[in-house]
Amino acid sequence: MNDHIAAVPLEKAYRLLNHGPTVLVSARHEGVDNVMAAAWACALDYAPPKLTVVLDKAAATRALVENSGRFVIQVPTVRQLDLTYQVGHRSLASEPDKLARSGVELFGMPGFDLPFVAGCSAWLACRVLHEPRNEAAYDLFIGEIEAAWSDTRVFRDGHWQFESADPGLRSLHYIAGGFFYAIGDAMRAGEPAPE
């Protein structure tokens, strides 16, 4: 692991997703790895910590998740804008070299046989809590978060530090048609609003 990656206590893991970022979903099954982008992911519960993510039936990553019962949610950074767009628009079915062509570098975390995407600001290793009706009708998957990590340059002591971190480490927020926003400035309730 890199020196700037540290474990996040599970009781704080929901904070990695609370600000609504676009995420990368990765999975592995029988030696096949894939990564896709997803705009619809959110925290669901605290204890044990859970999250939800929408995985379309046409996505190759969904099949890996269904077969392995595990996946990783990652928070990509501004520096990964093109990578995020590429893995969201390329298909492993038609491009077996999708990950290489998209510039994805994978690494491992001890104790987890999962593909983690290098360069992200947060990683959440999840076990699928199967809800067949939700999965079939809404493409909605529930994951129990088994472990979480963050890039301490931008998330530490249980909080995002976007205002003091390198702007290239800000999270991405997908709108449509290849258009994203980076997270904005910090504001605190009870303080004067910026003009």
Side-chain angles (χ1 to χ4, degrees):
M1 277 198 303
N2 296 324
D3 291 339
H4 57 270
I5 296 176
V8 172
L10 286 178
E11 66 271 12
K12 305 287 188 202
Y14 74 93
R15 293 182 179 178
L16 297 171
L17 295 177
N18 244 16
H19 64 297
T22 296
V23 299
L24 300 179
V25 183
S26 60
R28 170 179 292 150
H29 182 65
E30 295 184 347
V32 177
D33 293 338
N34 200 24
V35 179
M36 65 175 276
W40 297 346
C42 69
L44 176 65
D45 202 354
Y46 298 107
K50 298 177 194 74
L51 57 80
T52 61
V53 63
V54 173
L55 304 174
D56 189 87
K57 290 171 186 65
T61 303
R62 176 177 171 151
L64 299 177
V65 170
E66 289 175 325
N67 288 312
S68 69
R70 300 232 183 277
F71 62 95
V72 181
I73 295 288
Q74 307 49 207
V75 178
T77 67
V78 167
R79 292 179 185 147
Q80 296 173 301
L81 173 65
D82 288 333
L83 178 154
T84 301
Y85 185 74
Q86 293 299 319
V87 299
H89 286 83
R90 288 188 157 144
S91 171
L92 187 66
S94 60
E95 296 181 67
D97 60 348
K98 166 190 170 177
L99 297 185
R101 293 180 73 176
S102 300
V104 174
E105 179 187 338
L106 300 174
F107 70 101
M109 289 286 199
F112 292 89
D113 183 24
L114 290 164
F116 293 80
V117 179
C120 293
S121 60
W123 302 263
L124 300 102
C126 300
R127 176 179 62 88
V128 175
L129 298 176
H130 283 291
E131 292 283 346
R133 182 179 179 280
N134 287 338
E135 293 164 15
Y138 307 112
D139 298 329
L140 183 70
F141 285 75
I142 299 172
E144 180 179 336
I145 303 167
E146 297 183 310
W149 302 265
S150 70
D151 182 326
T152 57
R153 297 173 298 176
V154 69
F155 184 96
R156 62 186 172 279
D157 302 322
H159 298 281
W160 286 106
Q161 311 288 325
F162 292 118
E163 64 277 9
S164 60
D166 180 321
L169 294 174
R170 290 184 180 216
S171 60
L172 297 169
H173 303 261
Y174 187 63
I175 305 304
F179 192 82
F180 293 78
Y181 280 98
I183 195 161
D185 297 325
M187 295 175 278
R188 185 178 300 275
E191 294 180 357
E195 296 287 324

